[in-house]
């Protein structure tokens, strides 16, 4: 909290500073109003400018193509936009700059899924690609950082990686079951430090669903530093390596 400072009375109104903001208190109406002040900076970094395609990659820029192939979702600087491949209009899906979004991707039904820390933890939300309906929170999981969600082809599950190099599957049905699929141990702490102190060594970098949504495939690095392709049977909760060590 802040103390009021620099109060000045004139014509029945009091101007004062509260923290970084300026307010006007109307003595007769007994209410305060914060002043909207915009200061144009001389610093280049603070001025409005257009970004080229290469610069966009530095601002959490991600893209996803719709199931029908006629639309693309773009996530840039916390906002989500959908743009038609051919004719049509661009839509700003998100309109709340206080709630940055990440990793927008399409569900098979054309809805969008994206991550946001609106609750204080990074969770996944369903969004209307037209920007009309309110977003709906889909998950309520542990506080680890989550990466891009991968919806299953049947739309009933999502798979995702977290900052602990774990693969998770979240069911979007009524029960909403969440279960861990696998983890690459080379990325974990052991004996007070990383087992391999090399950036991105052992980190799982891709997960893919089978067309029938029963299997999840991913590469897993082994102790000999070779990658092995593993498929996970979601129905029977079983791992099946399909390449040699």
């Amino acid at each position: 909290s802040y103390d009021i400072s620099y109060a000045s009375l004139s014509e029945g109104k009091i101007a004062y500073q509260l923290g970084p903001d300026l307010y006007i208190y109307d003595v007769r109406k007994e209410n305060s109003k914060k002043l909207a002040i915009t200061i144009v900076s001389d610093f280049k970094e603070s001025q409005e400018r257009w970004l080229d395609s290469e610069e966009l990659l530095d601002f959490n820029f991600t893209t996803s193509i719709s199931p029908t192939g006629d639309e693309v979702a773009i996530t840039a600087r916390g906002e989500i936009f959908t743009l038609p491949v051919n004719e049509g209009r661009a839509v700003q899906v998100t309109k709340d700059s206080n709630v940055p979004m990440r990793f927008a991707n399409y569900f098979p039904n054309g809805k969008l899924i994206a991550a946001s820390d609106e609750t204080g933890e990074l969770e996944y939300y369903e969004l209307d690609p037209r920007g009309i309906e309110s977003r709906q929170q889909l998950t309520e999981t542990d506080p680890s950082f989550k990466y891009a969600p991968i919806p299953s082809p049947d739309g009933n599950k999502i798979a995702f990686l977290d900052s602990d190099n774990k693969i998770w599957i979240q069911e979007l049905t009524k029960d909403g079951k969440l279960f861990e699929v696998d983890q690459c141990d080379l990325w974990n702490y052991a004996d007070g430090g990383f087992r391999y102190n090399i950036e991105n060594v052992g980190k799982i970098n891709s997960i893919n669903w089978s067309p029938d949504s029963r299997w999840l495939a991913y590469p897993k690095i082994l102790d000999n530093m070779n990658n092995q392709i593993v498929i996970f049977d979601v129905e029977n909760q079983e791992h099946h390596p399909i390449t040699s060590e």
Side-chain angles (χ1 to χ4, degrees):
S1 60
Y2 298 98
D3 293 328
I4 292 176
S5 56
Y6 306 111
S8 177
L9 174 65
S10 177
E11 298 181 0
K13 295 182 179 180
I14 301 174
Y16 63 93
Q17 179 179 342
L18 183 62
D21 300 307
L22 297 179
Y23 289 79
I24 295 292
Y25 177 76
D26 191 311
V27 176
R28 183 175 63 82
K29 296 181 180 180
E30 297 185 346
N31 61 21
S32 290
K33 180 180 180 181
K34 184 170 72 172
L35 300 180
I37 299 175
T38 301
I39 300 177
V40 180
S41 174
D42 291 333
F43 291 105
K44 179 181 178 182
E45 294 80 7
S46 302
Q47 296 176 0
E48 183 176 319
R49 63 190 178 91
W50 289 95
L51 300 176
D52 60 34
S53 57
E54 292 185 0
E55 287 181 297
L56 282 173
L57 298 177
D58 296 328
F59 293 99
N60 295 319
F61 180 80
T62 60
T63 61
S64 176
I65 298 176
S66 68
T68 57
D70 58 0
E71 185 178 83
V72 61
I74 295 177
T75 310
R77 306 196 74 174
E79 301 288 352
I80 299 174
F81 305 85
T82 56
L83 290 83
V85 173
N86 296 310
E87 296 182 354
R89 66 184 185 91
V91 175
Q92 183 174 349
V93 177
T94 52
K95 301 178 177 65
D96 187 352
S97 59
N98 294 323
V99 183
M101 307 297 290
R102 300 170 180 260
F103 312 127
N105 198 0
Y106 281 95
F107 276 113
N109 64 2
K111 293 278 190 176
L112 289 170
I113 181 172
S116 170
D117 59 358
E118 182 176 3
T119 63
E121 302 294 346
L122 203 63
E123 301 292 351
Y124 296 118
Y125 292 78
E126 182 182 84
L127 300 97
D128 174 16
R130 303 279 73 80
I132 299 174
E133 300 175 10
S134 300
R135 56 179 172 268
Q136 302 295 323
Q137 185 173 342
L138 297 176
T139 61
E140 188 173 347
T141 55
D142 65 73
S144 62
F145 186 87
K146 303 168 186 65
Y147 295 103
I150 312 297
S152 60
D154 62 10
N156 293 327
K157 298 176 283 293
I158 56 172
F160 61 91
L161 291 162
D162 71 7
S163 54
D164 294 323
N165 209 29
K166 294 179 179 179
I167 302 175
W168 297 88
I169 289 179
Q170 171 78 58
E171 295 181 348
L172 302 179
T173 53
K174 184 177 180 180
D175 295 335
K177 182 181 177 182
L178 172 71
F179 53 91
E180 181 182 336
V181 174
D182 205 348
Q183 181 179 25
C184 185
D185 294 332
L186 298 187
W187 191 249
N188 293 337
Y189 284 101
D191 301 324
F194 285 119
R195 290 178 61 186
Y196 291 93
N197 191 22
I198 304 174
E199 184 179 3
N200 290 332
V201 167
K203 192 170 185 179
I204 299 171
N205 54 25
S206 64
I207 48 179
N208 291 277
W209 287 99
S210 64
D212 62 0
S213 301
R214 177 174 174 176
W215 304 88
L216 192 69
Y218 56 94
K220 183 175 182 179
I221 195 166
L222 306 176
D223 286 333
N224 61 6
M225 304 301 289
N226 289 332
N227 271 314
Q228 184 178 62
I229 304 300
V230 179
I231 57 174
F232 177 70
D233 184 345
V234 178
E235 184 176 312
N236 296 315
Q237 302 282 294
E238 295 176 348
H239 299 85
H240 300 276
I242 59 173
T243 59
S244 65
E245 297 183 5

